[in-house]
Amino acid sequence: MVKTIYWKDNKVVMLDQSRLPLEVSYIECSNYECVADAISRLLIRGAPAIGIAASMGIAIGGLGISASDTEEFRKKIKPVMYHLLSTRPTAVNIKWAVDRFTKFIEANMDKPVSTLKDMLVQESINVLNEDIEINRAIGQWGAQFINDGDTVLTHCNAGSLATGGYGTATSPMLIAKEQGKKFRVFADETRPVLQGARLTAWELMQAGIDVTLITDNSAGALMKKGMIDLAIVGTDRTTRNGDVANKIGTYSVAVLCKEHNIPFYVAAPLSSIDFNMSSGDQIPIEERAAEEVTTIWGHRVAPEGVKVINMAFDVTPAKYVSAIITQKGAFRPSDLHKIQDEKSDLSSIRIGNK
Ligand code: MRU
C-alpha cells in the first residue's frame, strides 16, 4: 500500500495526489506554511489525511518556534494552529487535531520547551499510526455488509489516500477481500476534481479489487437496472444527529439509494464526528475556485466568463443513512449521539458483528 503521509528527518513527506495517477511523486515540507498550502491545494486531501497533515503541521510549526519557556511556546503555536484551521472548513478533522494538540500542550506545560517539541513530533506520528488502526477496525465492522456477488458503489475517494492507510469506505472492501468474498466496486468519477477516477480507481486496482469507473450521472440508471447492491462512502463531518457532509454528489447517491431500496452506509472514524454540532445545517461548506469546474487538468472546457457554483461538499440528511460504520461498530444515525457517552452499552445499539 502506497504511503500517503509520513514524518522523516524533521520533514512532513506527502504523496502529491494532484499528480496521480500519472505520476507518483512526494513533496517534503519543512515548515507549517508548506503543509497548509498542500492541504489548500489538495496535494493531500480526504478528512482523516488532512487531520494527520494538520497534526504534523503543528509539530513542524513547533520545531520552528524559538521560545524561552513553555508559556511563550504555547502563545507562539496558536497562529500556527489558526493558519492550518483556515485551509479547509468542512472536514472537522483539522479542528479535531488542533483540539487534541491544544490539550496535549496544556497537559505538558511542566516540560522544557525542547522536550515538548519532541513530544509534539511523536504525538503527530501517534495520530498517523492510530488512524491506520482505526481504519482497520472500521473495515472489520463494515465487511459484514458486503456479500459474495455484491456490487458496491462508492463516491469520491475515502481510501488509503484519504487516510493514513486502509481508508474508511474502502476498508470494509479490503477486509471483505481478505475474507475471500468476491464482489466488485463501481467508483463514481467525482467531478470536478475526479477523486474517483484518479484516486479510487487507481488504489483499488493496486489492491487487486475489481473496480469499474462510472460517470457520476450513471449511478441512477445502474441502480434501476439492479446493478448496485449497496453504497459505502466516507464523510468530512457527521453531526450528532447523523447528518453527513461528504463530497458533492453524495446526497444525490443517497436519495437514489432510498428510491431503489439500496442500503447507504457511511464509514466514519470518530474524529470525523462533530458531537458539538446538532445538525448538518450548521456545517460550513467549502466553496472552491471556478477553474476546478471550467477546466479539466488545465484544459478549458467551459466558455470564458461563465458563472460557476462550486460547492465542494453536500449534506445528506440522516434519514437516508442506513448505518454509520465507526471503529466502535456500526450504528443507526439516531443512536450516534450515544457512543459519545462512555457509560452507553454499545452492544445494545450496534448493528451486526465483526
Ligand atoms: O475534497 P476532498 O478530496 O478532500 O474530499 C474528500 C471526501 O469527500 C471524502 O469522502 C471524505 O473526506 C472522507 S475520506 C475518508
Side-chain angles (χ1 to χ4, degrees), residues 80-305:
V80 173
M81 292 176 169
Y82 293 139
H83 188 80
L84 288 159
L85 266 176
S86 71
T87 53
R88 298 198 72 191
T90 303
V92 70
N93 304 60
I94 299 183
K95 165 97 171 46
W96 172 89
V98 165
D99 288 349
R100 174 167 170 155
F101 278 78
T102 303
K103 281 192 200 129
F104 187 86
I105 293 168
E106 269 158 23
N108 289 287
M109 291 296 285
D110 56 333
K111 309 286 186 314
V113 173
S114 61
T115 309
L116 182 56
K117 286 182 180 181
D118 291 345
M119 288 170 75
L120 291 181
V121 171
Q122 187 51 52
E123 185 67 357
S124 73
I125 296 169
N126 294 346
V127 169
L128 168 62
N129 293 335
E130 284 167 24
D131 186 66
I132 298 170
E133 289 302 308
I134 287 166
N135 295 334
R136 252 196 94 79
I138 289 174
Q140 280 152 354
W141 289 108
Q144 60 174 320
F145 301 116
I146 303 176
N147 294 311
D148 251 328
D150 274 353
T151 298
V152 187
L153 175 69
T154 192
H155 188 72
C156 193
N157 174 267
S160 55
L161 292 166
T163 63
Y166 282 94
T168 61
T170 56
S171 186
M173 303 172 197
L174 296 173
I175 302 285
K177 182 169 188 289
E178 281 177 23
Q179 293 170 346
K181 292 181 188 167
K182 301 261 181 292
F183 59 94
R184 62 180 180 162
V185 177
F186 285 177
D188 278 347
E189 61 176 347
T190 318
R191 277 284 283 150
V193 285
L194 300 171
Q195 289 94 332
R198 297 188 301 105
L199 310 178
T200 305
W202 181 75
E203 67 164 271
L204 290 183
M205 284 174 82
Q206 293 230 326
I209 288 181
D210 178 348
V211 58
T212 302
L213 182 63
I214 63 169
T215 56
D216 295 330
N217 35 18
S218 334
L222 294 171
M223 287 183 192
K224 195 153 175 264
K225 284 176 182 283
M227 289 172 69
I228 293 171
D229 299 289
L230 70 154
I232 314 180
V233 301
T235 178
D236 292 84
R237 186 188 305 236
T238 287
T239 51
R240 202 177 156 72
N241 66 340
D243 290 348
V244 173
N246 192 47
K247 178 56 54 194
I248 192 83
T250 303
Y251 172 52
S252 320
V253 171
V255 173
L256 282 167
C257 281
K258 185 81 158 184
E259 171 67 19
H260 295 90
N261 249 326
I262 293 168
F264 175 84
Y265 299 107
V266 176
L270 295 182
S271 57
S272 297
I273 298 176
D274 189 342
F275 289 104
N276 296 319
M277 262 187 196
S278 56
S279 107
D281 300 339
Q282 298 158 4
I283 300 174
I285 299 294
E286 176 180 2
E287 295 202 25
R288 295 189 59 86
E291 287 67 36
E292 287 186 349
V293 181
T294 56
T295 62
I296 297 183
W297 265 20
H299 297 285
R300 178 162 275 279
V301 292
E304 286 285 353

